[in-house]
Amino acid sequence: MSNEVVLSVRNLSVVFHTPDGDVVAVNDVSFDLRSGETLGIVGESGSGKSVTASSILRLNNSSTASTTGSILVSGVDVLSADESEVRRIRGSEVAMIFQDPLSALNPYYTVGKQIAEAYLVHHPEASKADARKVTLEMLKKVGIPNPEKRIDEFPHQFSGGMRQRIVIAIALINNPKVLIADEPTTALDVTVQAQILDLMKDLQVEFNMAIVLITHDLGVIAEAALDVLVMYGGRIVERSTVEALFSEPTHPYAWGLLGAVNSLESSGRGALVTIAGSPPSLIALPPGCSFNPRCSYSSDICRTEIPLLRAVGTQGSVAACHLPEGDILSLGRKAASR
Amino acid sequence: MFMFIVRRIFFAVLLLLAVSFFTYMLFAMLPSDPAALTCGKNCKPDVIAANRIRLGYDKSLMEQYWLFLKGIFAGRDYGTGAAAFSCGAPSLGYSFGQHECVTTLIAQTFPVTAYLSIGAFVLWMLIGISSGAVAALHKGKWQDRAASIFTSIGVSLPTFYIGLLVLFSVVIWLQILPFPSYESPFVNFPTFLRTMILPWLVLAVLSAASYTRLTRNGMLEAMNEDFVRLGVAKGLTTRIILRRYVMRQALVPIVTIAGLDFAGLLGGAIITESVFSLPGMGKMSIRAVVESDLPVLVGTTMVAAVFIVLANVLVDIAYGYLDPRVRVK
Amino acid sequence: MSSGIALQAIDLVKHFSTGSSGVLGRATNIVQAVDGVSFTLPTGKTLGIVGESGCGKSTLARLVTRLINPSTGSVILDGVDITTMSGKSLREMRRKLQMIFQDPYSSLNPRHSIGQIIGDPMRIQGIVSKTNEKAEVQELMQRVGLNPEHYNRYPHEFSGGQRQRIGIARALSLRPSVIVADEPVSALDVSIQAQILNLLENLQKDLGLSYVFIAHDLSVVRHIADQVAVMYLGKIVEVGDAATLYSSPAHPYTKALMSAVPVANPSLRNSDKRIRLVGDVPSPIDPPSGCRFRTRCWKATDLCAAVEPLLQPDATGRAVACHFPEAGPVSIG
């Protein structure tokens, strides 16, 4: 199995034109994704991670959003291609699953019909019987018990975990190269979350799929990702392997996140490590580095000049921070220690 | 599901019984004397008294009501001896002004109301839903603004005003159509069409307005739903998404409200029928009010009530069919 | 007056009926949301209640605060039975027991200024007069970390974390002794969660508050709670002090719950010590006979189906409702 690049995002920027002003939701995001690998994108609300995800399939509303840059999938630039070309890619080469499985399924049709629909739109020569057969196999594969009976049931008749499995079935029915998972487990119970993450890992191996996993939960990242992008205020502030992120994070925001999670998971009762302040308003981003108002290490240059991503350390990490490399590495190691 | 229907019908029957009781009592307690209408201006008191007995108005209110109720199922006999006559079941009483069984009168006038209602209904659904859809798909642009102007006009202007305006401009001033003169479609179809086209349009345009708004808002809400986004992410064409995802959701409340509106219309579109001189149930009701012909009023009220109660039951059942989440197990 | 027990629940049961049958609509499909729950909250301490969706923890929160009435059972607040209180005494009770809600976006009236939201309870209950209401409200705002000058602003002008602070200030406005917090940080970003948790802990220390803290996030509960109760399908399956419960969970469900939480440490990935539960949570309308967890438990035997295990507290106050409790520490994370 070759480790080819299946998704290539270059200089993606998304600006929403609202009555209150222009919101730069995504600012100059670039990354590559290779087959069989999982890229995690972690960030909090307003970080731009969800808008990045929906841009890959050109799901943003074109009348209110301006999207620039390029997104290459199988040699096609999704952002500049025809509508028909993009429709061909959606659901077949690149598939997406959303956060809330209850609202993601059409309540008026049976789950069997919805899965078959995804198959038939990309296999127009197939018969309804073929589609039903493929649907049944897929239901078995995602672990729905008693699929022959449940295929004709409606989404509201399933539990949250089961519905997410159905959403996964719809996404994988055409054997996509890339799966975009936008907070797939956030709305699920913890035990169900574990089941779904396991299912996704198994299916990834079976289909040799690349996954873009978007989440705010560092535990999920540690569990499932190979490489990680940390986003803040619409930009990538750090990119590293998952091991490097948890042993030697290279951005103050990542230190804050890790500190909060670690102090929470430790058994001590002391005050939790926090990041002061709140996530920035995307209409009125602070000048310079958008994290600087909340950063304990900011200096004058941080307030005037936006830091560019640069290589830091020996583990292949890249960070957008003005601090000198030596400081970054020592502060990072300190933040990661438990 | 079956028990659900049985239960709804059971309560519907109870409701109709209550409606019949209150309607009858309400009209019976009015200060006019129905017997006094039976023989015109130069009535002698003993003729009136005789008629009163003949028609059963000397009995107590409860007894009258009971006879009325019985009449619906078994027909009713009036008077005795040579002057006796009867109204076959379902008897809703006897009209003095028109010297005819109420049921017969309703049977004569209802088809006109029905044709008016059906034609208007079809037109207004077509106009309303398509203009609402256009507005939703071109949100914020001129089509949307035009639709909201149309909606405001339709909702604010009274029927009699628009009806008279249309009648005046089309028939009298522009002389495009002759004066409306109703004839049954089986007798003279072209005249039927020429008569009905204006009232259909007037009713339709005025009622369509709220459906324009309903459709527009329903579609816009549906387009924001997650499952519609997923549909797009599956690679479905816009047409399929509009049909199976957006419209499917938007139409559910529209269909149910339309059912109720239609039923209301079947009770008699009083103003439209009057303006366009259509011999329907609505026009008959107005005449009965003017003439204090109470039996006719009781009869038409009951008929209207039956349609509305029936429509409610059907709409409840239909809703369960349209929205799987609501289905009673 | 009781000695040091702020709140007690005794055998609380709440059944909801959904669906009906027959012409007259008899109730069928009884949802046994809370089925015999008892707990004790010592003064100044925090009791954490964890469980997944459908376990009844939110219903329990509403039962204990008398927002809904129990089908059977009783609630004792500071030695006084408040289960059947009504009218004036219920309103007075509310001064001692307050609630914080989960969703900061829907739990504040968008048409009231935050001055009103925080001040109204105080004024209506007669704790402050109109003249010093504003000063009191602003002092509270400062205490929870809000800028007192934002007195006249509206909820939509604040972020999620700030709105939750407003909710906390509102709960504090009546100077309660017990606060029931129903998932107060679940809707917040991680970095904000930490701020709110720190605030709650500081308030507890400064004001001597007792908390019932309900959450589905195990790490959050472990951090803030002294005692933890684990709920499953309307019953408490295990209760004990936080440290012991997390290091050596005795009930199989507790163990599975803890091993399911993804730990922020990639080197622990694919550890085969992880327990994966099979299947879904059974319906609370028709829970399994005997032990409710048996349909997903790897240890279940016939005994489990026949006899429901009871929650028996031992000498240390630890209690497990299981015929075959686990022994020994959990060696994960």
Side-chain angles (χ1 to χ4, degrees):
Chain A
M1 269 174 233
S2 63
N3 224 343
E4 38 144 7
V5 173
V6 285
L7 171 67
S8 179
V9 175
R10 289 276 172 277
N11 309 108
L12 175 68
S13 292
V14 180
V15 182
F16 288 106
H17 307 290
T18 72
D20 298 320
D22 278 353
V23 176
V24 184
V26 177
N27 200 328
D28 199 20
V29 165
S30 307
F31 61 86
D32 283 340
L33 184 66
R34 301 192 128 78
S35 65
E37 293 181 355
T38 302
L39 174 71
I41 304 185
V42 69
E44 300 179 306
S45 27
S47 58
K49 57 192 196 303
S50 282
V51 178
T52 305
S54 55
S55 305
I56 298 176
L57 280 181
R58 215 161 90 177
L59 293 177
N60 296 325
N61 188 342
S62 55
S63 53
T64 50
S66 312
T67 312
T68 52
S70 75
I71 298 180
L72 283 167
V73 176
S74 305
V76 174
D77 180 6
V78 169
L79 293 181
S80 58
D82 285 338
E83 185 67 27
S84 56
E85 193 63 21
V86 177
R87 249 184 266 134
R88 189 186 59 80
I89 293 177
R90 284 179 188 151
S92 62
E93 314 247 350
V94 179
M96 190 156 171
I97 61 182
F98 299 126
Q99 170 174 339
D100 186 359
L102 173 55
S103 54
L105 292 172
N106 187 329
Y108 307 100
Y109 292 98
T110 62
V111 305
K113 274 218 182 106
Q114 294 186 54
I115 301 174
E117 182 186 49
Y119 181 76
L120 287 167
V121 75
H122 294 285
H123 297 86
E125 73 292 346
S127 71
K128 282 216 176 124
D130 290 338
R132 192 176 169 92
K133 210 172 76 170
V134 173
T135 302
L136 271 170
E137 274 167 33
M138 201 64 214
L139 284 175
K140 282 193 200 107
K141 210 168 272 192
V142 298
I144 305 272
N146 206 354
E148 293 82 8
K149 171 164 167 274
R150 308 218 75 181
I151 190 178
D152 293 319
E153 287 183 0
F154 290 94
H156 69 274
Q157 295 172 276
F158 291 81
S159 69
M162 288 288 152
R163 271 183 234 132
Q164 196 64 307
R165 290 170 193 269
I166 292 165
V167 170
I168 292 174
I170 291 176
L172 298 180
I173 192 96
N174 294 312
N175 207 333
K177 290 203 196 125
V178 179
L179 174 69
I180 307 171
D182 188 357
E183 305 254 23
T185 56
T186 304
L188 303 173
D189 283 323
V190 127
T191 49
V192 177
Q193 175 175 290
Q195 293 173 350
I196 297 294
L197 286 175
D198 276 347
L199 175 67
M200 281 173 61
K201 274 193 234 171
D202 292 338
L203 292 172
Q204 176 180 38
V205 169
E206 185 177 334
F207 287 83
N208 194 27
M209 226 172 22
I211 300 180
V212 177
L213 178 62
I214 292 143
T215 177
H216 64 274
D217 187 336
L218 279 176
V220 170
I221 291 281
E223 185 72 40
L226 194 67
D227 291 302
V228 184
L229 296 178
V230 179
M231 286 187 74
Y232 187 86
R235 292 178 189 274
I236 299 178
V237 295
E238 174 169 347
R239 177 170 65 230
S240 39
T241 64
V242 67
E243 291 88 7
L245 180 68
F246 287 92
S247 59
E248 199 179 69
T250 52
H251 192 275
Y253 176 59
W255 303 337
L257 281 183
L258 216 60
V261 169
N262 285 346
S263 59
L264 193 60
E265 288 181 0
S266 73
S267 29
R269 286 298 297 281
L272 293 170
V273 171
T274 68
I275 308 178
S278 329
S281 146
L282 290 176
I283 288 187
L285 280 172
C289 170
S290 38
F291 186 65
N292 88 68
R294 307 173 75 187
C295 185
S296 326
Y297 309 98
S298 68
S299 52
D300 289 330
I301 189 178
C302 304
R303 289 179 264 278
T304 52
E305 217 178 281
I306 299 177
L308 298 171
L309 286 167
R310 62 182 222 272
V312 175
T314 52
Q315 300 195 56
S317 301
V318 168
C321 184
H322 290 301
L323 284 170
E325 185 169 345
D327 290 350
I328 290 183
L329 292 173
S330 60
L331 286 168
R333 282 187 213 120
K334 203 169 90 181
S337 62
R338 305 170 153 259
Chain B
M1 190 64 185
F2 177 68
M3 279 316 291
F4 172 73
I5 296 179
V6 164
R7 230 181 334 169
R8 292 298 274 112
I9 292 180
F10 175 68
F11 283 111
V13 169
L14 281 183
L15 184 62
L16 284 172
L17 224 59
V19 170
S20 72
F21 180 76
F22 283 111
T23 310
Y24 194 88
M25 286 301 149
L26 195 64
F27 285 118
M29 291 202 256
L30 290 175
S32 73
D33 181 6
L37 297 172
T38 51
C39 58
K41 281 197 184 148
N42 302 315
C43 247
K44 296 207 198 83
D46 41 312
V47 176
I48 294 176
N51 279 340
R52 186 171 296 132
I53 295 172
R54 228 173 106 222
L55 294 166
Y57 284 106
D58 53 325
K59 303 194 171 62
S60 72
L61 271 183
M62 281 309 295
E63 230 186 312
Q64 287 183 44
Y65 172 66
W66 169 245
L67 285 173
F68 168 73
L69 209 54
K70 223 171 53 156
I72 295 178
F73 299 100
R76 191 157 164 193
D77 303 315
Y78 291 92
T80 50
F85 63 93
S86 64
C87 286
S91 160
L92 287 164
Y94 181 79
S95 158
F96 323 105
Q98 308 205 40
H99 300 290
E100 185 58 83
C101 292
V102 172
T103 310
T104 316
L105 290 171
I106 290 180
Q108 286 166 354
T109 53
F110 180 69
V112 181
T113 304
Y115 296 138
L116 176 64
S117 307
I118 293 171
F121 178 72
V122 168
L123 270 181
W124 96 47
M125 289 296 269
L126 282 174
I127 297 176
I129 293 179
S130 48
S131 57
V134 166
L137 291 172
H138 298 271
K139 179 179 168 196
K141 299 193 217 138
W142 70 264
Q143 295 95 327
D144 194 9
R145 300 213 194 283
S148 65
I149 294 175
F150 167 62
T151 306
S152 310
I153 293 178
V155 160
S156 359
L157 290 177
T159 324
F160 65 83
Y161 177 71
I162 286 297
L164 285 171
L165 204 63
V166 165
L167 193 63
F168 177 75
S169 27
V170 175
V171 173
I172 297 173
W173 179 40
L174 295 170
Q175 297 187 2
I176 299 175
L177 288 170
F179 259 107
S181 157
Y182 179 80
E183 284 190 60
S184 159
F186 305 107
V187 169
N188 189 340
F189 190 68
T191 309
F192 169 76
L193 267 185
R194 261 176 288 173
T195 306
M196 298 298 279
I197 187 78
L198 284 180
W200 274 342
L201 279 176
V202 167
L203 260 184
V205 164
L206 294 179
S207 312
S210 39
Y211 287 88
T212 307
R213 189 190 288 161
L214 269 176
T215 307
R216 176 191 182 273
N217 292 344
M219 281 181 68
L220 285 176
E221 244 182 72
M223 293 199 269
N224 272 331
E225 294 269 2
D226 269 349
F227 68 87
V228 171
R229 261 183 96 217
L230 191 77
V232 176
K234 278 183 184 177
L236 299 173
T237 59
T238 316
R239 207 184 308 160
I240 294 183
I241 294 193
L242 281 178
R243 188 163 45 97
R244 282 191 214 155
Y245 289 69
V246 178
M247 280 310 252
R248 181 67 179 75
Q249 163 139 314
L251 282 179
V252 173
I254 289 173
V255 163
T256 50
I257 294 176
L260 297 174
D261 274 350
F262 180 63
L265 213 51
L266 287 176
I270 294 175
I271 295 174
T272 312
E273 286 177 20
S274 298
V275 168
F276 291 95
S277 307
L278 298 173
M281 243 172 56
K283 193 141 173 288
M284 182 168 78
S285 301
I286 291 265
R287 182 177 161 185
V289 169
V290 170
E291 296 178 356
S292 293
D293 193 349
L294 301 180
V296 170
L297 286 175
V298 173
T300 52
T301 308
M302 282 307 299
V303 168
V306 167
F307 280 122
I308 293 186
V309 171
L310 193 65
N312 269 283
V313 174
L314 288 175
V315 156
D316 278 347
I317 298 172
Y319 205 92
Y321 178 70
L322 288 171
D323 191 341
R325 292 170 288 190
V326 166
R327 263 172 220 182
V328 182
K329 286 277 169 279
Chain C
M1 269 290 177
S2 66
S3 52
I5 294 187
L7 182 67
Q8 213 181 353
I10 302 178
D11 268 337
L12 281 176
V13 173
K14 181 65 182 176
H15 289 170
F16 293 105
S17 57
T18 68
S20 43
S21 74
V23 177
L24 297 172
R26 260 179 304 274
T28 58
N29 294 350
I30 314 263
V31 175
Q32 303 178 29
V34 173
D35 211 17
V37 166
S38 309
F39 65 77
T40 309
L41 172 65
T43 316
K45 300 281 186 202
T46 301
L47 170 69
I49 301 186
V50 291
E52 295 177 297
S53 36
C55 71
K57 56 191 194 301
S58 280
T59 310
L60 183 62
R62 282 158 175 72
L63 284 174
V64 155
T65 49
R66 286 294 312 280
L67 287 175
I68 58 179
N69 294 328
S71 306
T72 61
S74 45
V75 181
I76 318 270
L77 176 64
D78 205 17
V80 179
D81 187 331
I82 63 169
T83 324
T84 48
M85 271 189 182
S86 62
K88 184 151 171 276
S89 40
L90 182 65
R91 276 196 297 274
E92 277 171 12
M93 179 280 279
R94 296 236 178 272
R95 278 190 230 153
K96 296 170 104 182
L97 173 58
Q98 279 292 306
M99 193 155 162
I100 301 173
F101 299 93
Q102 169 176 0
D103 187 355
Y105 294 94
S106 58
S107 59
L108 300 177
N109 188 331
R111 303 203 198 290
H112 287 176
S113 69
I114 59 172
Q116 268 175 290
I117 292 173
I118 302 171
D120 279 354
M122 286 190 215
R123 195 187 65 248
I124 293 172
Q125 285 262 15
I127 295 179
V128 295
S129 65
K130 267 205 175 149
T131 41
N132 53 5
E133 179 187 331
K134 181 165 178 183
E136 291 282 334
V137 169
Q138 286 181 316
E139 198 214 306
L140 252 184
M141 285 173 70
Q142 202 142 33
R143 200 187 257 282
V144 300
L146 291 166
N147 184 341
E149 288 174 23
H150 294 166
Y151 184 84
N152 285 318
R153 288 201 187 170
Y154 288 84
H156 69 267
E157 300 179 61
F158 295 89
S159 69
Q162 288 171 316
R163 283 161 126 152
Q164 204 59 311
R165 291 175 194 268
I166 298 171
I168 294 172
R170 173 178 63 183
L172 289 176
S173 64
L174 291 181
R175 326 249 167 101
S177 46
V178 181
I179 291 189
V180 176
D182 187 5
E183 307 248 27
V185 295
S186 310
L188 304 174
D189 283 328
V190 147
S191 56
I192 311 294
Q193 264 187 34
Q195 293 175 7
I196 301 297
L197 288 173
N198 282 349
L199 171 63
L200 287 172
E201 283 178 321
N202 291 336
L203 287 170
Q204 181 172 49
K205 260 190 299 232
D206 293 341
L207 302 173
L209 298 167
S210 314
Y211 289 150
V212 177
F213 195 99
I214 292 161
H216 65 269
D217 188 332
L218 294 168
S219 336
V220 165
V221 170
R222 170 157 85 172
H223 181 86
I224 196 169
D226 298 294
Q227 268 229 324
V228 177
V230 180
M231 281 187 75
Y232 186 82
L233 268 192
K235 290 194 183 285
I236 293 185
V237 295
E238 181 168 0
V239 66
D241 81 274
T244 327
L245 197 115
Y246 277 79
S247 55
S248 41
H251 195 283
Y253 176 60
T254 315
K255 201 164 175 194
L257 204 56
M258 297 201 185
S259 85
V261 177
V263 179
N265 189 340
S267 51
L268 294 173
R269 198 190 289 203
N270 295 329
S271 161
D272 45 31
K273 293 256 175 50
R274 294 194 179 278
I275 301 166
R276 293 286 181 243
L277 286 180
V278 174
D280 271 344
V281 183
S283 156
I285 294 176
D286 192 18
S289 62
C291 171
R292 296 184 175 190
F293 182 62
R294 66 175 172 84
T295 55
R296 305 167 81 197
C297 185
W298 59 98
K299 295 191 193 184
T301 63
D302 290 335
L303 174 65
C304 303
V307 179
E308 188 189 323
L310 298 171
L311 200 64
Q312 316 274 30
D314 62 15
T316 62
R318 172 106 123 147
V320 190
C322 181
H323 294 303
F324 308 103
E326 302 277 293
V330 172
S331 50
I332 299 175

